Amino acid sequence: MKHPYKAQLLLNLKAHYQEQSWRTITFFDGRRDEILFVLPINEDIKSVFDNLLAVLTTLPEIDHPSERTVISFSDENGNGYCSRLINPNTQDEINLALIGYRPQRKVRPEELQELS
C-alpha cells in the first residue's frame, strides 16, 4: 500500500461521517495529497468543515507514520470548496513563513466526475 496513513484516515473519516449521499475522491499522487468529500448541493459544507478538527480528535489512532494530507469538502458543482492541511511537510512550513498563508486551490468541475 503506497499511502497507508491516508488510506486509514480515509476509512476512519468515512466510518465517522457515515453519509451515504457523500462521494469521496482521493488525489494521493503528486503534491495534492487530498481526500475530497463531495456533498450534495443542499448540505451545509461550512459547518461540516468547521467541525473537522473536532472530528479528527475523536478518530482512532493510526498506526502508520504521519503523511501530509489535505482534507477538503465541496458540493457536486465544485462550489463551497474548503480544505484543511494536516501533518504539513517542511515545504508547507516554508511557504507559510514566506507568504503568511497556504495557497488555496479551487476544485474544477472535471475533477468531480465519477472518480473515487
mmCIF file with all atom_site columns, all heavy atoms in Angstrom, residues 81-102:
data_model
loop_
_atom_site.group_PDB
_atom_site.id
_atom_site.type_symbol
_atom_site.label_atom_id
_atom_site.label_alt_id
_atom_site.label_comp_id
_atom_site.label_asym_id
_atom_site.label_entity_id
_atom_site.label_seq_id
_atom_site.pdbx_PDB_ins_code
_atom_site.Cartn_x
_atom_site.Cartn_y
_atom_site.Cartn_z
_atom_site.occupancy
_atom_site.B_iso_or_equiv
_atom_site.pdbx_formal_charge
_atom_site.auth_seq_id
_atom_site.auth_comp_id
_atom_site.auth_asym_id
_atom_site.auth_atom_id
_atom_site.pdbx_PDB_model_num
ATOM 1   N N   . TYR A 1 81  ? -15.928 24.992 -1.940 1.00 0.00 ? 81  TYR A N   1
ATOM 2   C CA  . TYR A 1 81  ? -14.710 24.242 -1.663 1.00 0.00 ? 81  TYR A CA  1
ATOM 3   C C   . TYR A 1 81  ? -13.952 24.849 -0.491 1.00 0.00 ? 81  TYR A C   1
ATOM 4   O O   . TYR A 1 81  ? -13.724 26.048 -0.424 1.00 0.00 ? 81  TYR A O   1
ATOM 5   C CB  . TYR A 1 81  ? -13.806 24.222 -2.898 1.00 0.00 ? 81  TYR A CB  1
ATOM 6   C CG  . TYR A 1 81  ? -12.506 23.484 -2.674 1.00 0.00 ? 81  TYR A CG  1
ATOM 7   C CD1 . TYR A 1 81  ? -12.444 22.109 -2.843 1.00 0.00 ? 81  TYR A CD1 1
ATOM 8   C CD2 . TYR A 1 81  ? -11.363 24.154 -2.282 1.00 0.00 ? 81  TYR A CD2 1
ATOM 9   C CE1 . TYR A 1 81  ? -11.254 21.420 -2.634 1.00 0.00 ? 81  TYR A CE1 1
ATOM 10  C CE2 . TYR A 1 81  ? -10.178 23.475 -2.064 1.00 0.00 ? 81  TYR A CE2 1
ATOM 11  C CZ  . TYR A 1 81  ? -10.124 22.113 -2.238 1.00 0.00 ? 81  TYR A CZ  1
ATOM 12  O OH  . TYR A 1 81  ? -8.963  21.431 -2.017 1.00 0.00 ? 81  TYR A OH  1
ATOM 13  N N   . CYS A 1 82  ? -13.593 23.994 0.463  1.00 0.00 ? 82  CYS A N   1
ATOM 14  C CA  . CYS A 1 82  ? -12.750 24.422 1.570  1.00 0.00 ? 82  CYS A CA  1
ATOM 15  C C   . CYS A 1 82  ? -11.873 23.246 1.974  1.00 0.00 ? 82  CYS A C   1
ATOM 16  O O   . CYS A 1 82  ? -12.260 22.084 1.801  1.00 0.00 ? 82  CYS A O   1
ATOM 17  C CB  . CYS A 1 82  ? -13.576 24.941 2.739  1.00 0.00 ? 82  CYS A CB  1
ATOM 18  S SG  . CYS A 1 82  ? -14.938 23.895 3.211  1.00 0.00 ? 82  CYS A SG  1
ATOM 19  N N   . SER A 1 83  ? -10.688 23.534 2.477  1.00 0.00 ? 83  SER A N   1
ATOM 20  C CA  . SER A 1 83  ? -9.750  22.461 2.781  1.00 0.00 ? 83  SER A CA  1
ATOM 21  C C   . SER A 1 83  ? -8.930  22.796 4.015  1.00 0.00 ? 83  SER A C   1
ATOM 22  O O   . SER A 1 83  ? -8.763  23.957 4.376  1.00 0.00 ? 83  SER A O   1
ATOM 23  C CB  . SER A 1 83  ? -8.822  22.213 1.592  1.00 0.00 ? 83  SER A CB  1
ATOM 24  O OG  . SER A 1 83  ? -8.004  23.338 1.371  1.00 0.00 ? 83  SER A OG  1
ATOM 25  N N   . ARG A 1 84  ? -8.424  21.744 4.631  1.00 0.00 ? 84  ARG A N   1
ATOM 26  C CA  . ARG A 1 84  ? -7.539  21.889 5.778  1.00 0.00 ? 84  ARG A CA  1
ATOM 27  C C   . ARG A 1 84  ? -6.370  20.935 5.594  1.00 0.00 ? 84  ARG A C   1
ATOM 28  O O   . ARG A 1 84  ? -6.552  19.758 5.291  1.00 0.00 ? 84  ARG A O   1
ATOM 29  C CB  . ARG A 1 84  ? -8.265  21.574 7.070  1.00 0.00 ? 84  ARG A CB  1
ATOM 30  C CG  . ARG A 1 84  ? -7.348  21.597 8.248  1.00 0.00 ? 84  ARG A CG  1
ATOM 31  C CD  . ARG A 1 84  ? -7.860  22.088 9.558  1.00 0.00 ? 84  ARG A CD  1
ATOM 32  N NE  . ARG A 1 84  ? -9.107  22.742 9.630  1.00 0.00 ? 84  ARG A NE  1
ATOM 33  C CZ  . ARG A 1 84  ? -9.264  24.071 9.810  1.00 0.00 ? 84  ARG A CZ  1
ATOM 34  N NH1 . ARG A 1 84  ? -8.223  24.857 9.849  1.00 0.00 ? 84  ARG A NH1 1
ATOM 35  N NH2 . ARG A 1 84  ? -10.453 24.590 9.934  1.00 0.00 ? 84  ARG A NH2 1
ATOM 36  N N   . LEU A 1 85  ? -5.168  21.445 5.808  1.00 0.00 ? 85  LEU A N   1
ATOM 37  C CA  . LEU A 1 85  ? -3.951  20.653 5.713  1.00 0.00 ? 85  LEU A CA  1
ATOM 38  C C   . LEU A 1 85  ? -3.626  20.100 7.095  1.00 0.00 ? 85  LEU A C   1
ATOM 39  O O   . LEU A 1 85  ? -3.598  20.845 8.072  1.00 0.00 ? 85  LEU A O   1
ATOM 40  C CB  . LEU A 1 85  ? -2.798  21.518 5.214  1.00 0.00 ? 85  LEU A CB  1
ATOM 41  C CG  . LEU A 1 85  ? -1.409  20.899 5.228  1.00 0.00 ? 85  LEU A CG  1
ATOM 42  C CD1 . LEU A 1 85  ? -1.327  19.722 4.273  1.00 0.00 ? 85  LEU A CD1 1
ATOM 43  C CD2 . LEU A 1 85  ? -0.366  21.944 4.888  1.00 0.00 ? 85  LEU A CD2 1
ATOM 44  N N   . ILE A 1 86  ? -3.408  18.792 7.161  1.00 0.00 ? 86  ILE A N   1
ATOM 45  C CA  . ILE A 1 86  ? -2.913  18.206 8.400  1.00 0.00 ? 86  ILE A CA  1
ATOM 46  C C   . ILE A 1 86  ? -1.560  17.579 8.124  1.00 0.00 ? 86  ILE A C   1
ATOM 47  O O   . ILE A 1 86  ? -1.262  17.188 6.997  1.00 0.00 ? 86  ILE A O   1
ATOM 48  C CB  . ILE A 1 86  ? -3.907  17.187 9.011  1.00 0.00 ? 86  ILE A CB  1
ATOM 49  C CG1 . ILE A 1 86  ? -4.142  16.006 8.085  1.00 0.00 ? 86  ILE A CG1 1
ATOM 50  C CG2 . ILE A 1 86  ? -5.227  17.860 9.351  1.00 0.00 ? 86  ILE A CG2 1
ATOM 51  C CD1 . ILE A 1 86  ? -4.908  14.876 8.736  1.00 0.00 ? 86  ILE A CD1 1
ATOM 52  N N   . ASN A 1 87  ? -0.718  17.527 9.126  1.00 0.00 ? 87  ASN A N   1
ATOM 53  C CA  . ASN A 1 87  ? 0.642   16.993 9.012  1.00 0.00 ? 87  ASN A CA  1
ATOM 54  C C   . ASN A 1 87  ? 1.438   17.697 7.906  1.00 0.00 ? 87  ASN A C   1
ATOM 55  O O   . ASN A 1 87  ? 1.937   17.056 6.981  1.00 0.00 ? 87  ASN A O   1
ATOM 56  C CB  . ASN A 1 87  ? 0.626   15.479 8.754  1.00 0.00 ? 87  ASN A CB  1
ATOM 57  C CG  . ASN A 1 87  ? -0.171  14.724 9.784  1.00 0.00 ? 87  ASN A CG  1
ATOM 58  O OD1 . ASN A 1 87  ? -0.147  15.062 10.960 1.00 0.00 ? 87  ASN A OD1 1
ATOM 59  N ND2 . ASN A 1 87  ? -0.905  13.722 9.351  1.00 0.00 ? 87  ASN A ND2 1
ATOM 60  N N   . PRO A 1 88  ? 1.573   19.026 7.988  1.00 0.00 ? 88  PRO A N   1
ATOM 61  C CA  . PRO A 1 88  ? 2.302   19.747 6.937  1.00 0.00 ? 88  PRO A CA  1
ATOM 62  C C   . PRO A 1 88  ? 3.757   19.286 6.849  1.00 0.00 ? 88  PRO A C   1
ATOM 63  O O   . PRO A 1 88  ? 4.352   18.875 7.844  1.00 0.00 ? 88  PRO A O   1
ATOM 64  C CB  . PRO A 1 88  ? 2.216   21.200 7.373  1.00 0.00 ? 88  PRO A CB  1
ATOM 65  C CG  . PRO A 1 88  ? 1.903   21.161 8.831  1.00 0.00 ? 88  PRO A CG  1
ATOM 66  C CD  . PRO A 1 88  ? 1.175   19.887 9.084  1.00 0.00 ? 88  PRO A CD  1
ATOM 67  N N   . ASN A 1 89  ? 4.305   19.350 5.640  1.00 0.00 ? 89  ASN A N   1
ATOM 68  C CA  . ASN A 1 89  ? 5.711   18.993 5.457  1.00 0.00 ? 89  ASN A CA  1
ATOM 69  C C   . ASN A 1 89  ? 6.578   20.248 5.558  1.00 0.00 ? 89  ASN A C   1
ATOM 70  O O   . ASN A 1 89  ? 6.070   21.359 5.758  1.00 0.00 ? 89  ASN A O   1
ATOM 71  C CB  . ASN A 1 89  ? 5.931   18.244 4.131  1.00 0.00 ? 89  ASN A CB  1
ATOM 72  C CG  . ASN A 1 89  ? 5.583   19.083 2.914  1.00 0.00 ? 89  ASN A CG  1
ATOM 73  O OD1 . ASN A 1 89  ? 5.575   20.313 2.953  1.00 0.00 ? 89  ASN A OD1 1
ATOM 74  N ND2 . ASN A 1 89  ? 5.300   18.415 1.806  1.00 0.00 ? 89  ASN A ND2 1
ATOM 75  N N   . THR A 1 90  ? 7.871   20.079 5.402  1.00 0.00 ? 90  THR A N   1
ATOM 76  C CA  . THR A 1 90  ? 8.807   21.198 5.539  1.00 0.00 ? 90  THR A CA  1
ATOM 77  C C   . THR A 1 90  ? 8.515   22.297 4.519  1.00 0.00 ? 90  THR A C   1
ATOM 78  O O   . THR A 1 90  ? 8.551   23.479 4.845  1.00 0.00 ? 90  THR A O   1
ATOM 79  C CB  . THR A 1 90  ? 10.258  20.702 5.379  1.00 0.00 ? 90  THR A CB  1
ATOM 80  O OG1 . THR A 1 90  ? 10.485  19.661 6.334  1.00 0.00 ? 90  THR A OG1 1
ATOM 81  C CG2 . THR A 1 90  ? 11.251  21.816 5.601  1.00 0.00 ? 90  THR A CG2 1
ATOM 82  N N   . GLN A 1 91  ? 8.206   21.919 3.281  1.00 0.00 ? 91  GLN A N   1
ATOM 83  C CA  . GLN A 1 91  ? 7.913   22.924 2.258  1.00 0.00 ? 91  GLN A CA  1
ATOM 84  C C   . GLN A 1 91  ? 6.663   23.715 2.615  1.00 0.00 ? 91  GLN A C   1
ATOM 85  O O   . GLN A 1 91  ? 6.603   24.923 2.383  1.00 0.00 ? 91  GLN A O   1
ATOM 86  C CB  . GLN A 1 91  ? 7.757   22.278 0.881  1.00 0.00 ? 91  GLN A CB  1
ATOM 87  C CG  . GLN A 1 91  ? 7.630   23.287 -0.247 1.00 0.00 ? 91  GLN A CG  1
ATOM 88  C CD  . GLN A 1 91  ? 8.841   24.199 -0.370 1.00 0.00 ? 91  GLN A CD  1
ATOM 89  O OE1 . GLN A 1 91  ? 9.971   23.721 -0.423 1.00 0.00 ? 91  GLN A OE1 1
ATOM 90  N NE2 . GLN A 1 91  ? 8.622   25.505 -0.380 1.00 0.00 ? 91  GLN A NE2 1
ATOM 91  N N   . ASP A 1 92  ? 5.656   23.057 3.188  1.00 0.00 ? 92  ASP A N   1
ATOM 92  C CA  . ASP A 1 92  ? 4.458   23.775 3.629  1.00 0.00 ? 92  ASP A CA  1
ATOM 93  C C   . ASP A 1 92  ? 4.819   24.818 4.682  1.00 0.00 ? 92  ASP A C   1
ATOM 94  O O   . ASP A 1 92  ? 4.321   25.936 4.661  1.00 0.00 ? 92  ASP A O   1
ATOM 95  C CB  . ASP A 1 92  ? 3.428   22.805 4.228  1.00 0.00 ? 92  ASP A CB  1
ATOM 96  C CG  . ASP A 1 92  ? 2.854   21.851 3.210  1.00 0.00 ? 92  ASP A CG  1
ATOM 97  O OD1 . ASP A 1 92  ? 2.570   22.272 2.073  1.00 0.00 ? 92  ASP A OD1 1
ATOM 98  O OD2 . ASP A 1 92  ? 2.681   20.664 3.565  1.00 0.00 ? 92  ASP A OD2 1
ATOM 99  N N   . GLU A 1 93  ? 5.699   24.436 5.613  1.00 0.00 ? 93  GLU A N   1
ATOM 100 C CA  . GLU A 1 93  ? 6.114   25.364 6.672  1.00 0.00 ? 93  GLU A CA  1
ATOM 101 C C   . GLU A 1 93  ? 6.888   26.548 6.090  1.00 0.00 ? 93  GLU A C   1
ATOM 102 O O   . GLU A 1 93  ? 6.707   27.685 6.513  1.00 0.00 ? 93  GLU A O   1
ATOM 103 C CB  . GLU A 1 93  ? 6.973   24.624 7.703  1.00 0.00 ? 93  GLU A CB  1
ATOM 104 C CG  . GLU A 1 93  ? 6.273   23.489 8.418  1.00 0.00 ? 93  GLU A CG  1
ATOM 105 C CD  . GLU A 1 93  ? 5.151   23.947 9.333  1.00 0.00 ? 93  GLU A CD  1
ATOM 106 O OE1 . GLU A 1 93  ? 5.102   25.132 9.701  1.00 0.00 ? 93  GLU A OE1 1
ATOM 107 O OE2 . GLU A 1 93  ? 4.310   23.101 9.677  1.00 0.00 ? 93  GLU A OE2 1
ATOM 108 N N   . ILE A 1 94  ? 7.738   26.281 5.099  1.00 0.00 ? 94  ILE A N   1
ATOM 109 C CA  . ILE A 1 94  ? 8.488   27.362 4.445  1.00 0.00 ? 94  ILE A CA  1
ATOM 110 C C   . ILE A 1 94  ? 7.530   28.305 3.728  1.00 0.00 ? 94  ILE A C   1
ATOM 111 O O   . ILE A 1 94  ? 7.638   29.532 3.849  1.00 0.00 ? 94  ILE A O   1
ATOM 112 C CB  . ILE A 1 94  ? 9.537   26.779 3.469  1.00 0.00 ? 94  ILE A CB  1
ATOM 113 C CG1 . ILE A 1 94  ? 10.634  26.065 4.250  1.00 0.00 ? 94  ILE A CG1 1
ATOM 114 C CG2 . ILE A 1 94  ? 10.110  27.866 2.561  1.00 0.00 ? 94  ILE A CG2 1
ATOM 115 C CD1 . ILE A 1 94  ? 11.578  25.229 3.393  1.00 0.00 ? 94  ILE A CD1 1
ATOM 116 N N   . ASN A 1 95  ? 6.581   27.740 2.966  1.00 0.00 ? 95  ASN A N   1
ATOM 117 C CA  . ASN A 1 95  ? 5.605   28.575 2.267  1.00 0.00 ? 95  ASN A CA  1
ATOM 118 C C   . ASN A 1 95  ? 4.830   29.436 3.243  1.00 0.00 ? 95  ASN A C   1
ATOM 119 O O   . ASN A 1 95  ? 4.600   30.627 2.999  1.00 0.00 ? 95  ASN A O   1
ATOM 120 C CB  . ASN A 1 95  ? 4.629   27.717 1.459  1.00 0.00 ? 95  ASN A CB  1
ATOM 121 C CG  . ASN A 1 95  ? 5.277   27.053 0.277  1.00 0.00 ? 95  ASN A CG  1
ATOM 122 O OD1 . ASN A 1 95  ? 6.381   27.394 -0.120 1.00 0.00 ? 95  ASN A OD1 1
ATOM 123 N ND2 . ASN A 1 95  ? 4.608   26.060 -0.276 1.00 0.00 ? 95  ASN A ND2 1
ATOM 124 N N   . LEU A 1 96  ? 4.412   28.860 4.353  1.00 0.00 ? 96  LEU A N   1
ATOM 125 C CA  . LEU A 1 96  ? 3.662   29.603 5.354  1.00 0.00 ? 96  LEU A CA  1
ATOM 126 C C   . LEU A 1 96  ? 4.506   30.739 5.922  1.00 0.00 ? 96  LEU A C   1
ATOM 127 O O   . LEU A 1 96  ? 4.019   31.857 6.085  1.00 0.00 ? 96  LEU A O   1
ATOM 128 C CB  . LEU A 1 96  ? 3.193   28.658 6.468  1.00 0.00 ? 96  LEU A CB  1
ATOM 129 C CG  . LEU A 1 96  ? 2.315   29.263 7.542  1.00 0.00 ? 96  LEU A CG  1
ATOM 130 C CD1 . LEU A 1 96  ? 1.041   29.838 6.939  1.00 0.00 ? 96  LEU A CD1 1
ATOM 131 C CD2 . LEU A 1 96  ? 1.977   28.229 8.599  1.00 0.00 ? 96  LEU A CD2 1
ATOM 132 N N   . ALA A 1 97  ? 5.776   30.469 6.192  1.00 0.00 ? 97  ALA A N   1
ATOM 133 C CA  . ALA A 1 97  ? 6.663   31.502 6.738  1.00 0.00 ? 97  ALA A CA  1
ATOM 134 C C   . ALA A 1 97  ? 6.917   32.616 5.724  1.00 0.00 ? 97  ALA A C   1
ATOM 135 O O   . ALA A 1 97  ? 6.981   33.788 6.085  1.00 0.00 ? 97  ALA A O   1
ATOM 136 C CB  . ALA A 1 97  ? 7.985   30.880 7.171  1.00 0.00 ? 97  ALA A CB  1
ATOM 137 N N   . LEU A 1 98  ? 7.039   32.252 4.433  1.00 0.00 ? 98  LEU A N   1
ATOM 138 C CA  . LEU A 1 98  ? 7.363   33.249 3.409  1.00 0.00 ? 98  LEU A CA  1
ATOM 139 C C   . LEU A 1 98  ? 6.169   34.109 2.999  1.00 0.00 ? 98  LEU A C   1
ATOM 140 O O   . LEU A 1 98  ? 6.306   35.317 2.834  1.00 0.00 ? 98  LEU A O   1
ATOM 141 C CB  . LEU A 1 98  ? 7.940   32.564 2.166  1.00 0.00 ? 98  LEU A CB  1
ATOM 142 C CG  . LEU A 1 98  ? 9.338   31.984 2.313  1.00 0.00 ? 98  LEU A CG  1
ATOM 143 C CD1 . LEU A 1 98  ? 9.733   31.234 1.047  1.00 0.00 ? 98  LEU A CD1 1
ATOM 144 C CD2 . LEU A 1 98  ? 10.344  33.089 2.610  1.00 0.00 ? 98  LEU A CD2 1
ATOM 145 N N   . ILE A 1 99  ? 5.022   33.483 2.797  1.00 0.00 ? 99  ILE A N   1
ATOM 146 C CA  . ILE A 1 99  ? 3.883   34.259 2.288  1.00 0.00 ? 99  ILE A CA  1
ATOM 147 C C   . ILE A 1 99  ? 2.781   34.461 3.325  1.00 0.00 ? 99  ILE A C   1
ATOM 148 O O   . ILE A 1 99  ? 1.850   35.210 3.092  1.00 0.00 ? 99  ILE A O   1
ATOM 149 C CB  . ILE A 1 99  ? 3.289   33.639 1.002  1.00 0.00 ? 99  ILE A CB  1
ATOM 150 C CG1 . ILE A 1 99  ? 2.766   32.231 1.248  1.00 0.00 ? 99  ILE A CG1 1
ATOM 151 C CG2 . ILE A 1 99  ? 4.307   33.649 -0.113 1.00 0.00 ? 99  ILE A CG2 1
ATOM 152 C CD1 . ILE A 1 99  ? 2.081   31.608 0.037  1.00 0.00 ? 99  ILE A CD1 1
ATOM 153 N N   . GLY A 1 100 ? 2.882   33.779 4.465  1.00 0.00 ? 100 GLY A N   1
ATOM 154 C CA  . GLY A 1 100 ? 1.940   34.016 5.556  1.00 0.00 ? 100 GLY A CA  1
ATOM 155 C C   . GLY A 1 100 ? 0.656   33.210 5.493  1.00 0.00 ? 100 GLY A C   1
ATOM 156 O O   . GLY A 1 100 ? -0.170  33.296 6.384  1.00 0.00 ? 100 GLY A O   1
ATOM 157 N N   . TYR A 1 101 ? 0.474   32.433 4.444  1.00 0.00 ? 101 TYR A N   1
ATOM 158 C CA  . TYR A 1 101 ? -0.721  31.595 4.336  1.00 0.00 ? 101 TYR A CA  1
ATOM 159 C C   . TYR A 1 101 ? -0.428  30.468 3.359  1.00 0.00 ? 101 TYR A C   1
ATOM 160 O O   . TYR A 1 101 ? 0.526   30.537 2.596  1.00 0.00 ? 101 TYR A O   1
ATOM 161 C CB  . TYR A 1 101 ? -1.939  32.393 3.878  1.00 0.00 ? 101 TYR A CB  1
ATOM 162 C CG  . TYR A 1 101 ? -1.770  33.010 2.501  1.00 0.00 ? 101 TYR A CG  1
ATOM 163 C CD1 . TYR A 1 101 ? -2.157  32.332 1.351  1.00 0.00 ? 101 TYR A CD1 1
ATOM 164 C CD2 . TYR A 1 101 ? -1.213  34.278 2.345  1.00 0.00 ? 101 TYR A CD2 1
ATOM 165 C CE1 . TYR A 1 101 ? -1.987  32.882 0.091  1.00 0.00 ? 101 TYR A CE1 1
ATOM 166 C CE2 . TYR A 1 101 ? -1.042  34.836 1.093  1.00 0.00 ? 101 TYR A CE2 1
ATOM 167 C CZ  . TYR A 1 101 ? -1.430  34.136 -0.023 1.00 0.00 ? 101 TYR A CZ  1
ATOM 168 O OH  . TYR A 1 101 ? -1.257  34.688 -1.263 1.00 0.00 ? 101 TYR A OH  1
ATOM 169 N N   . ARG A 1 102 ? -1.268  29.434 3.419  1.00 0.00 ? 102 ARG A N   1
ATOM 170 C CA  . ARG A 1 102 ? -1.125  28.317 2.484  1.00 0.00 ? 102 ARG A CA  1
ATOM 171 C C   . ARG A 1 102 ? -1.913  28.641 1.224  1.00 0.00 ? 102 ARG A C   1
ATOM 172 O O   . ARG A 1 102 ? -3.077  29.008 1.300  1.00 0.00 ? 102 ARG A O   1
ATOM 173 C CB  . ARG A 1 102 ? -1.666  27.030 3.121  1.00 0.00 ? 102 ARG A CB  1
ATOM 174 C CG  . ARG A 1 102 ? -1.408  25.801 2.275  1.00 0.00 ? 102 ARG A CG  1
ATOM 175 C CD  . ARG A 1 102 ? -1.798  24.538 3.001  1.00 0.00 ? 102 ARG A CD  1
ATOM 176 N NE  . ARG A 1 102 ? -3.213  24.463 3.283  1.00 0.00 ? 102 ARG A NE  1
ATOM 177 C CZ  . ARG A 1 102 ? -4.124  23.977 2.452  1.00 0.00 ? 102 ARG A CZ  1
ATOM 178 N NH1 . ARG A 1 102 ? -3.767  23.527 1.272  1.00 0.00 ? 102 ARG A NH1 1
ATOM 179 N NH2 . ARG A 1 102 ? -5.382  23.937 2.782  1.00 0.00 ? 102 ARG A NH2 1
#
